[in-house]
Amino acid sequence: MHSLPAPLVRAMRLPLAGLAAGLLAACAPMKTPPTASVGDLPASKEAAPVATACPKDIAAIARCLSGQDSAGAYYLIAMPNQWNRVLVMHSHGGPTLGAPKAERAVEDLERWSIMVRAGYAWAGSTFRQGGVAVRAAAEDTERLRQIFVAQVAQPRRTILHGQSWGAGVAAMGADMFGNGAGKPYDAVLLTSGLLAGGSRSYDFRTDLRVVYQHLCNNHPLPSEAQYPLNIGLPADAKMSAAELTARANECLGLNKPAAERTPEQQRKVKTIVDVLRIPASSIQSHLNWGTFHYRDVVHLRTGDASPFGNTGARYTGSADDAALNAAVLRYKADPQALARFAQDTDPTGRIAVPVLTVKGVDDPTAFVELDAYFKGTMERAGSGARLVQTFTQHNTHSYLSDPTYPTLMTALLRWVDEGVKPTPDSIAQQCPAYEAQFGKGCAFLPAYLPKPLNSRVVDRDRP
């Protein structure tokens, strides 16, 4: 693997991932929502952003502005002193649970300072609410774009960038706001994206919950009230992330080097790794998401019914697959809950501008096979010609490398400005030119093609 600068390594340790999302509380199942327009957002006058200190990495080369929009989302804007007149609208990953905090936007800018160092203006919203709500987050991003244009500057081009879960937000926003009379975004960049929507991207976390419970039987404990695992947690449950971590460590020894785990712990970890096809280092994170984010979805987005299920799933890779499949608990996704969740979270592929994606082939959080599914989504919507996908030899999720992103931005802007559609090979060839300025880190794999999603996540019955 390519080594990365220390600041990026620290950034990659920040928890992001979380995934697909759901709001739209009372929509009819699977009915396509109307395309939104800029005018659909709240018409109240937005307060002007105020000057604020920039993160230290860019303090010498940019000025920063911050504020809180009319819907309650905090935001941060960075304007490089040598601005190339291109604006990057950033949709962050996660999603974070709980009330939004201004510090979240600062963390995002610190991680994505490469955009400002490469001359791009950057604007990121915390979103108005925590939790799994994709369309609302897309509205918050578009509202911030309006604030920038009205009160900061007029960009020559605007690129909508979505990272991780935020890639789903950006893909949804490009449909919601980019197919009407006004087209606020000139192109879309999706990095390390969770791109199969809530109806499919979360499936393996349901599988993790049932396999983990079969092996460990401590989430919930036999002495605790039993509940369907596909709801994550009961709405009033008091379990904390620290308590869940302690239970997982007791059963699996995840806080120990593999050699220090007991033979029983090693056996259980191996079963999860082999059956779920995830690295041991990501078990805890995915278990957290399958617990706390599931609770957010079920109790706040889908009317206390679960959109997650595993009926019909056939698990393989264990020492005794027949015994495993006979033992794990089975749950059926509620049809209406699934329809509501999918309507809010599943990309439609109806994107009228160029779309460029990048994914590390060993991403432990958003599997590379999700990109294969997204390609099919774009093709089914008639937008396949507007999509170029790239892949890199990285095993990280939150951030790949400094030269990766300016390379992609340059290729995307040339596509928009000159009509020169990039190829994975041309992008790979262009990346080394950026290493002199931004350091080593080019690792594009131009010949790589991901396998179908069902080669990684087992098929199941769907309502």
Side-chain angles (χ1 to χ4, degrees):
M1 304 309 299
H2 290 252
S3 60
L4 301 178
L8 301 186
V9 175
R10 289 193 296 271
M12 289 185 290
R13 294 190 184 121
L14 292 171
L16 256 193
L19 304 146
L23 184 63
L24 222 61
C27 54
M30 302 312 292
K31 184 178 179 181
T32 302
T35 298
S37 68
V38 173
D40 291 332
L41 297 182
S44 59
K45 181 176 175 59
E46 300 287 344
V50 298
T52 191
C54 287
K56 62 181 181 179
D57 284 356
I58 60 170
I61 63 169
R63 63 185 179 94
C64 291
L65 304 166
S66 65
Q68 187 174 20
D69 71 19
S70 58
Y74 296 99
Y75 62 83
L76 186 59
I77 295 168
M79 286 290 293
N81 298 334
Q82 302 297 320
W83 183 34
N84 61 15
R85 296 187 59 227
V86 176
L87 169 64
V88 175
M89 293 300 310
H90 178 79
S91 295
H92 71 68
T96 303
L97 300 178
K101 297 179 180 179
E103 292 79 6
R104 173 62 203 245
V106 177
E107 294 172 1
D108 290 330
L109 179 52
E110 288 175 341
R111 179 179 289 116
W112 294 98
S113 66
I114 184 62
M115 294 297 190
V116 182
R117 289 184 277 129
Y120 301 99
W122 183 95
S125 170
T126 65
F127 307 143
R128 77 188 79 163
Q129 62 180 339
V132 189
V134 168
R135 288 179 177 270
E139 291 174 350
D140 297 337
T141 299
E142 169 56 16
R143 186 180 300 105
L144 176 54
R145 186 199 65 82
Q146 293 183 38
I147 292 172
F148 184 97
V149 171
Q151 307 204 44
V152 180
Q154 181 67 51
R156 180 183 71 83
R157 295 293 188 193
T158 300
I159 306 300
L160 180 56
H161 173 223
Q163 160 69 15
S164 184
W165 177 78
V169 174
M172 186 67 74
D175 176 8
M176 292 170 63
F177 300 103
N179 289 305
K183 289 183 171 58
Y185 306 113
D186 296 293
V188 180
L189 176 63
L190 305 176
T191 61
S192 304
L194 202 79
L195 292 171
S199 64
R200 290 180 184 269
S201 295
Y202 277 46
D203 283 345
F204 78 99
R205 294 194 175 114
T206 304
D207 302 337
L208 175 59
R209 283 299 306 269
V210 300
V211 172
Y212 175 90
Q213 186 66 0
H214 166 63
L215 295 171
C216 298
N217 198 32
N218 68 0
H219 185 32
L221 290 162
S223 59
E224 294 175 321
Q226 303 299 293
Y227 58 85
L229 301 182
N230 67 337
I231 70 168
L233 277 177
D236 59 352
K238 304 302 182 184
M239 171 178 274
S240 67
E243 183 178 357
L244 178 55
T245 297
R247 293 189 187 193
N249 287 336
E250 180 182 13
C251 178
L252 303 176
L254 298 176
N255 58 335
K256 302 175 183 178
E260 296 181 13
R261 294 172 188 148
T262 68
E264 184 68 4
Q265 289 173 334
Q266 292 178 2
R267 181 188 68 81
K268 291 176 179 179
V269 169
K270 185 178 188 302
T271 298
I272 292 174
V273 168
D274 291 347
V275 173
L276 276 297
R277 302 175 179 88
I278 59 175
S281 60
S282 71
I283 291 174
Q284 186 67 62
S285 296
H286 290 306
L287 192 60
N288 288 350
W289 292 320
T291 300
F292 302 108
H293 284 76
Y294 270 34
R295 175 168 63 180
D296 176 90
V297 171
V298 171
H299 300 301
L300 299 181
R301 321 293 167 188
T302 58
D304 287 320
S306 178
F308 310 117
N310 69 329
T311 56
R314 171 71 184 173
Y315 303 116
T316 61
S318 70
D320 188 339
D321 291 340
L324 175 66
N325 282 279
V328 296
L329 295 168
R330 301 285 178 170
Y331 301 99
K332 182 178 180 181
D334 180 86
Q336 291 187 331
L338 179 60
R340 292 169 68 172
F341 193 45
Q343 189 176 51
D344 185 62
T345 66
D346 286 8
T348 65
R350 297 190 302 264
I351 302 179
V353 297
V355 181
L356 185 56
T357 72
V358 67
K359 175 71 65 68
V361 297
D362 294 317
D363 188 322
T365 299
F367 302 149
V368 69
E369 292 83 2
L370 294 168
D371 289 53
Y373 191 86
F374 182 67
K375 180 180 181 181
T377 299
M378 291 282 287
E379 290 173 344
R380 288 188 293 274
S383 304
R386 290 188 285 275
L387 173 68
V388 173
Q389 294 182 303
T390 66
F391 303 93
T392 68
Q393 187 64 64
H394 288 107
N395 64 351
T396 55
H397 172 68
S398 296
Y399 198 89
L400 299 179
S401 73
D402 273 7
T404 296
Y405 303 104
T407 301
L408 295 168
M409 288 291 293
T410 299
L412 193 52
L413 285 166
R414 190 181 182 204
W415 190 1
V416 172
D417 290 337
E418 303 175 25
V420 180
K421 184 177 179 179
T423 65
D425 188 64
S426 69
I427 289 172
Q429 292 179 20
Q430 292 161 9
C431 187
Y434 291 90
E435 290 186 323
Q437 182 178 358
F438 299 112
K440 295 293 184 180
C442 292
F444 285 100
L445 299 172
Y448 182 85
L449 291 174
K451 294 180 180 179
L453 181 57
N454 64 4
S455 70
R456 181 72 172 266
V457 181
V458 295
D459 284 327
R460 63 209 59 221
D461 299 333
R462 299 183 186 278

